[in-house]
Amino acid sequence: MVNLLQFDRSALGDWCEQRGEKPFRATQLFRWIHQRGEADFTVMSDLAKSFRDMLVAEAVVKALPIASEQVASDGTIKWLFNVGAGDAVETVFIPETGRGTLCVSSQAGCAVNCRFCATGHQGFSRNLTTAEILGQLWHAEFAMRKRLGVPDGERIISNVVMMGMGEPLQNYDALLPALKTMLDDHGYGLSRRRVTVSTSGVVPMIDRLRDDCPVALAVSLHAPDDALRDELVPLNRKYPIAELLASARRYLERAPRDFITIEYCMLDGVNDSPAQAEALRALLQGDGSAATPGLPCKVNLIPFNPFAASGLRRSPTDRVAAFAAVLHDAAIVTTVRKTRGDDIAAACGQLAGEIQDRTRVAERRERTAAVPMAAPVSRRRGAQTVPEPCA
Ligand code: SAH
Ligand code: SF4
């Protein structure tokens, strides 16, 4: 049995054609699934009986099993979906006036292992399939429509951010059909501006996304220089800041907006000093030279959401404000992200689900911690030290 949530419209068309059906039949079927949330082929009244019989025999529209659902005091909802073999991933719905944002996971765990991220701390199990990525949106949209009695044609989720568990650009092949379905007018019909891929900086895949499906892009920078970023985001050793910003500039040629979002997680005494704010300003604004061209961007400062074992602290509010002021004063649009759903551990970076750590990150971290001399301190000095990554 094939799960039809696995297909974008073009792949569904191919699948139907192989079974002797015309492409427009696939579009009708696609609309039943993604516009009406229907999983029962027998009620798809405008499809021929023979087509419906074939679907019943060969296909399913299979939702992800829900392990739990929690609602925060601010209305944020977090689902834990069981994806099998001991892995579970989290999805968060954030209601706001005039819009509803769904934060979607792309992997069970994450192999990038950023120092400040609960998902990274857990290690990596596997990539999600397209059906598992899209299944999060399918469930959230239609379960909430049903619960709230929202009529067909009115949607609840207006924005999707690929900011849940995982590095979406390390699961590109599954991500792409999911994005295409989100944008498809016969699917969820979201505009490219309202679908955001957030990445820790997988440079070659930023270029592919630009060519294949240029939705809004957010780059998780977190440091103004390579020495610090190497420690916070280990992927930086492979794709350093200059290469990352160059790919972001190339992305802008096709991006739905004329800026890239820069995410910067505020860590007390690590990346939040006035000097680092100034370094970030210089990096992003550039000096017009070929060596330092800058990047048209908006900066989103994210107060660090602590989790046990990170050993890091959130920057105090006045330090965040002072950091933001340096960027504001240089006319760089800067916002401080409002923390949502932290009473149910649904805020940025708190998503952990349940992961079978096949990369054994946690084990390696414990081994390193058990041998203090083998755990070198940061190359940075004084108050701005962070531990070396264990990976
Ligand atoms: N892997 C992608 C998307 C998922 S993380 C990425 O790294 O961009 C989504 C955002 O949450 C990223 O900007 C990430 O840096 C941020 N984040 C991770 N851990 C965090 C934490 N503990 N507190 C605040 N933000 C965090
Ligand atoms: Fe992975 Fe993003 Fe977390 Fe880094 S911040 S470990 S890339 S999910």
Side-chain angles (χ1 to χ4, degrees):
M1 289 292 222
V2 57
N3 186 357
L4 298 185
L5 292 177
Q6 184 64 18
F7 297 140
D8 62 17
R9 189 155 53 93
S10 149
L12 186 65
D14 293 345
W15 186 85
C16 288
E17 206 176 351
Q18 285 156 15
R19 283 152 186 82
E21 294 292 340
K22 297 256 177 348
F24 80 92
R25 294 288 178 209
T27 299
Q28 284 176 306
L29 173 58
F30 194 77
R31 291 170 68 104
W32 273 106
I33 299 170
H34 295 291
Q35 293 195 336
R36 304 179 71 165
E38 190 54 72
D40 179 357
F41 302 123
T42 63
V43 304
M44 298 183 181
S45 48
D46 57 355
L47 303 183
K49 173 85 170 53
S50 57
F51 186 24
R52 283 186 270 157
D53 290 345
M54 182 278 288
L55 290 169
V56 169
E58 294 194 32
V60 286
V61 177
K62 194 161 165 262
L64 291 167
I66 303 164
S68 69
E69 180 184 306
Q70 288 171 275
V71 183
S73 52
D74 65 5
T76 299
I77 303 174
K78 181 170 84 168
W79 292 275
L80 179 68
F81 291 111
N82 179 356
V83 292
D87 291 329
V89 299
E90 295 184 323
T91 308
V92 178
F93 175 69
I94 305 145
E96 284 170 292
T97 316
R99 71 176 179 183
T101 302
L102 193 71
C103 180
V104 171
S105 292
S106 56
Q107 297 180 309
C110 183
V112 178
N113 194 18
C114 300
R115 302 297 306 159
F116 47 82
C117 173
T119 307
H121 252 246
Q122 282 202 313
F124 175 70
S125 180
R126 69 169 174 86
N127 281 331
L128 298 186
T129 63
T130 300
E132 289 166 339
I133 296 172
L134 222 37
Q136 297 168 60
L137 173 59
W138 191 78
H139 173 81
E141 175 69 37
F142 296 110
M144 287 194 294
R145 270 197 211 179
K146 206 181 233 171
R147 194 178 300 168
L148 301 174
V150 173
D152 275 349
E154 265 178 45
R155 60 165 99 108
I156 300 222
I157 294 163
S158 60
N159 296 57
V160 172
V161 291
M162 297 303 305
M163 293 186 187
M165 295 165 63
E167 169 46 59
L169 295 187
Q170 286 190 337
N171 185 15
Y172 188 80
D173 290 347
L175 174 72
L176 187 59
L179 292 178
K180 286 187 169 167
T181 304
M182 292 172 197
L183 303 186
D184 197 316
D185 283 341
H186 298 287
Y188 297 85
L190 300 178
S191 93
R192 292 196 295 132
R193 290 164 170 242
R194 289 171 174 267
V195 176
T196 301
V197 168
S198 174
T199 181
S200 56
V202 192
V203 165
M205 293 300 152
I206 292 175
D207 287 328
R208 278 190 62 188
L209 189 66
R210 181 193 82 141
D211 295 339
D212 294 339
C213 192
V215 294
L217 184 70
V219 170
S220 294
L221 193 61
H222 310 305
D225 60 76
D226 282 323
L228 181 58
R229 194 164 191 272
D230 281 354
E231 296 186 3
L232 295 177
V233 185
L235 189 66
N236 195 67
R237 296 171 194 159
K238 193 162 182 189
Y239 304 114
I241 291 175
E243 281 182 36
L244 175 55
L245 295 189
S247 73
R249 277 191 296 277
R250 291 191 293 277
Y251 196 89
L252 270 177
E253 294 160 15
R254 303 257 179 93
R257 296 181 193 262
D258 55 5
F259 62 87
I260 299 289
T261 301
I262 295 292
E263 293 168 283
Y264 195 101
C265 179
M266 298 297 291
L267 302 164
D268 184 22
V270 174
N271 65 355
D272 63 347
S273 72
Q276 284 162 323
E278 174 52 29
L280 182 64
R281 182 213 60 76
L283 181 71
L284 296 177
Q285 219 155 39
D287 57 12
S289 72
T292 322
L295 176 73
C297 64
K298 285 189 181 173
V299 175
N300 194 209
L301 301 177
I302 315 173
F304 170 61
N305 292 308
F307 56 95
S310 73
L312 297 163
R313 292 179 310 270
R314 175 183 288 190
S315 303
T317 313
D318 57 346
R319 211 155 160 93
V320 176
F323 196 97
V326 171
L327 302 172
H328 273 305
D329 290 350
I332 297 175
V333 176
T334 305
T335 49
V336 179
R337 187 174 294 172
K338 217 164 110 198
T339 300
R340 298 291 306 262
D342 51 348
D343 54 336
I344 55 166
C348 292
Q350 290 187 320
L351 303 189
E354 288 166 20
I355 296 304
Q356 300 303 304
D357 177 15
R358 294 177 217 287
T359 55
R360 301 168 83 183
V361 161
E363 194 183 302
R364 278 181 286 150
R365 186 181 304 113
E366 268 167 31
R367 229 177 22 231
T368 315
V371 188
M373 294 308 292
V377 292
S378 158
R379 273 165 279 158
R380 298 179 63 79
R381 274 167 288 145
Q384 292 178 359
T385 57
V386 290
E388 283 282 4
C390 303

